[in-house]
């Protein structure tokens, strides 16, 4: 029942109605259901999911069961709105944000473009650790927020100039939300990751390629990726993805023990990239080399703490085929123009052959500030 948002999904979001204070909701079909009303629990009465996410895995499981039971007979009488009548907000307060680089196909494609003289498109460390960089948490916006074309330094005829990016790109990614944090000095091994990862969002890591190409040596991305990143408004619980679990591709050489997996941590999520109403690519998340459990293990192995609301994204999802790439630079047909609109969507297997949806991460490019 209820298509991509049936009882097997039950994602979490935050919405307001007619300018009311934002509150936590779940979604069933084309309706949102107020969770504080449904469950008589004030942890859901506020404008973010953080207080609930901080309660940890055992509570998440109890609440998910309770929501499923409460909605098993259909929509309740109170606290229900049609999806078209609500405004969705950023569902959680983003604490820290890290972006990884976990697709072998994407890393190889970018390596050939950025380092054409290198014999191996992958850097020597790539198969040993999930490469990532710490990004700007406050630049993360919810689906539907316009994206202003960024200005930055980029080379024009070999000379650096400050101006609007001329090579503005999208990156189709999947983001993972940390619910229960971890103290400084306490690494999270990959086998413990499910105790900490609350759920999954779609993530568009808008990228100014000309700014990025000039600035990234030797410390990595900075202004080329700090102007805006768009997430979907629904956090799909990790538990809803039990039927989407698949083995990651064979990892050779075998990762170090802190990165070892004891269960399938690949995710069979089918992504879709739409540009101005036309689907231009279908990136397969199952092809990702590094899993989210390994990303979190690596992020914390040096002793870094994690906090409720931390977000780490997978890096661009690209499959082996040209119609599976998650960025325009890999496609080779030009970059984003002012007025262009990009929508990311995705589905994954649910129970009994059904599919669950992630909603969408939508953004339109506005002209640069003069
Ligand atoms: Mn990225």
């Amino acid at each position: 029942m209820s298509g991509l948002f049936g009882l097997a999904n039950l994602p979490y979001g935050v919405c307001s109605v007619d300018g009311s204070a934002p509150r936590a909701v779940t979604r069933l079909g084309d309706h949102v259901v107020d969770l504080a009303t449904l469950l008589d629990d004030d942890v859901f009465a506020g404008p973010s999911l953080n207080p609930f996410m901080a309660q940890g895995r055992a509570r998440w499981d109890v609440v998910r069961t309770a929501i499923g039971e409460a909605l098993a007979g259909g929509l309740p009488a109170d606290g229900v709105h049609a999806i078209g009548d609500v405004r969705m907000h950023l569902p959680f307060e983003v604490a820290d944000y890290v972006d990884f680089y976990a697709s072998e196909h994407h890393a190889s494609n970018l390596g050939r473009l950025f380092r054409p003289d290198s014999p191996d498109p992958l850097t020597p460390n790539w198969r040993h650790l999930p490469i990532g960089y710490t990004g700007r948490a406050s630049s993360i916006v919810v689906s539907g927020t316009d994206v202003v074309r960024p200005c930055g330094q980029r080379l024009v005829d070999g000379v650096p100039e400050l101006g609007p990016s001329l090579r503005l790109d999208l990156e189709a990614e999947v983001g993972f939300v940390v619910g229960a944090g971890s103290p400084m000095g306490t690494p999270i091994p990959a086998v413990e990751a499910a105790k900490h990862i609350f759920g999954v969002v779609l993530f568009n890591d808008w990228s100014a390629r000309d700014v990025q190409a000039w600035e990234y040596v030797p410390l990595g991305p900075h202004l080329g990726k700090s102007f805006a990143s768009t997430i979907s408004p629904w956090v799909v619980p990790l538990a809803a993805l039990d039927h989407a679990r698949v083995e990651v591709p064979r990892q050779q050489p075998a990762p170090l023990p802190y990165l070892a997996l004891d269960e399938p941590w690949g995710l069979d999520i089918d992504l879709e990239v739409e540009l101005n109403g036309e689907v231009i690519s279908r990136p397969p998340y199952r092809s990702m080399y590094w899993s989210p459990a390994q990303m979190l293990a690596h992020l914390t192995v040096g002793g870094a703490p994690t906090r409720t609301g931390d977000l780490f994204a997978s890096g661009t999802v690209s499959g082996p085929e040209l119609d599976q790439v998650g960025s325009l630079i890999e496609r080779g047909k030009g970059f984003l123009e002012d007025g262009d609109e990009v929508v990311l969507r995705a589905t994954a297997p649910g129970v009994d052959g059904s599919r669950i949806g992630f909603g969408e991460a939508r953004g339109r490019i506005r002209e640069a500030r003069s």
Side-chain angles (χ1 to χ4, degrees):
M1 67 177 264
S2 303
L4 297 175
F5 292 92
L7 292 170
N9 191 344
L10 300 177
Y12 295 96
V14 167
C15 77
S16 59
V17 189
D18 294 333
S20 66
R23 286 160 67 96
V25 291
T26 189
R27 178 172 174 177
L28 187 66
D30 290 329
H31 291 82
V32 303
V33 180
D34 185 276
L35 286 172
T37 304
L38 184 75
L39 303 175
D40 192 21
D41 188 337
D42 280 348
V43 78
F44 297 107
S48 100
L49 296 171
N50 290 51
F52 171 56
M53 297 198 304
Q55 292 180 333
R57 165 65 50 202
R59 258 287 285 176
W60 308 337
D61 291 344
V62 167
V63 166
R64 180 168 169 77
T65 300
I67 296 171
E69 289 173 357
L71 297 180
L75 291 166
D78 299 320
V80 175
H81 299 280
I83 189 80
D85 293 341
V86 303
R87 179 177 165 214
M88 300 303 299
H89 300 267
L90 207 58
F92 58 96
E93 293 168 45
V94 183
D96 289 307
Y97 156 54
V98 169
D99 195 28
F100 284 94
Y101 196 49
S103 162
E104 180 176 358
H105 302 291
H106 174 72
S108 298
N109 291 338
L110 268 281
R112 286 185 205 101
L113 288 165
F114 276 57
R115 295 180 303 280
D117 299 329
S118 176
D120 187 347
L122 294 179
T123 48
N125 54 0
W126 199 88
R127 290 179 190 280
H128 295 272
L129 55 87
I131 293 176
Y133 69 94
T134 296
R136 191 161 196 81
S138 56
S139 69
I140 293 169
V141 298
V142 73
S143 177
T145 307
D146 286 348
V147 174
V148 175
R149 179 179 300 274
C151 289
Q153 272 200 34
R154 69 279 195 283
L155 297 182
V156 177
D157 297 328
V159 179
E161 289 184 0
L162 179 68
S165 171
L166 303 174
R167 290 160 67 85
L168 187 54
D169 202 349
L170 62 97
E171 290 192 338
E173 308 192 12
V174 171
F176 301 91
V177 186
V178 173
S182 53
M184 182 179 282
T186 307
I188 302 171
V191 295
E192 302 273 323
K195 292 181 182 169
H196 297 270
I197 299 174
F198 173 75
V200 178
V201 294
L202 302 181
F203 191 89
N204 187 345
D205 179 24
W206 306 96
S207 299
R209 298 298 182 197
D210 40 4
V211 177
Q212 180 187 358
W214 173 230
E215 76 178 358
Y216 90 104
V217 181
L219 290 185
H222 192 201
L223 304 188
K225 289 167 175 284
S226 68
F227 53 95
S229 305
T230 301
I231 65 169
S232 52
W234 296 106
V235 184
V236 174
L238 192 61
L241 294 170
D242 281 351
H243 298 268
R245 294 285 195 105
V246 292
E247 299 286 349
V248 292
R250 183 164 177 269
Q251 297 182 328
Q252 188 65 31
L256 292 173
Y258 76 96
L259 294 170
L261 299 172
D262 67 346
E263 59 180 310
W265 259 105
L267 294 168
D268 187 16
I269 301 172
D270 289 334
L271 285 94
E272 177 180 294
V273 181
E274 183 185 288
L275 173 61
N276 296 330
E278 180 195 354
V279 174
I280 60 168
S281 182
R282 298 183 187 278
Y285 194 84
R286 77 188 73 80
S287 67
M288 297 298 272
Y289 189 90
W290 293 107
S291 68
Q294 293 168 313
M295 296 177 210
L296 185 59
H298 187 67
L299 196 163
T300 57
V301 75
T306 59
R307 292 187 287 175
T308 299
D310 275 11
L311 177 66
F312 60 98
S314 61
T316 307
V317 183
S318 290
E321 307 299 330
L322 195 55
D323 60 1
Q324 296 178 319
V325 295
S327 70
L328 298 181
I329 193 172
E330 292 169 90
R331 191 163 167 257
K333 293 184 180 177
F335 294 93
L336 294 169
E337 307 283 343
D338 291 348
D340 281 355
E341 187 175 51
V342 177
V343 185
L344 307 183
R345 296 189 186 84
T347 65
V351 285
D352 300 331
S354 68
R355 305 287 295 177
I356 66 172
F358 290 73
E360 52 183 45
R362 176 184 295 265
R364 185 182 293 278
I365 305 302
R366 296 297 179 199
E367 66 179 339
R369 296 179 184 88
S370 53

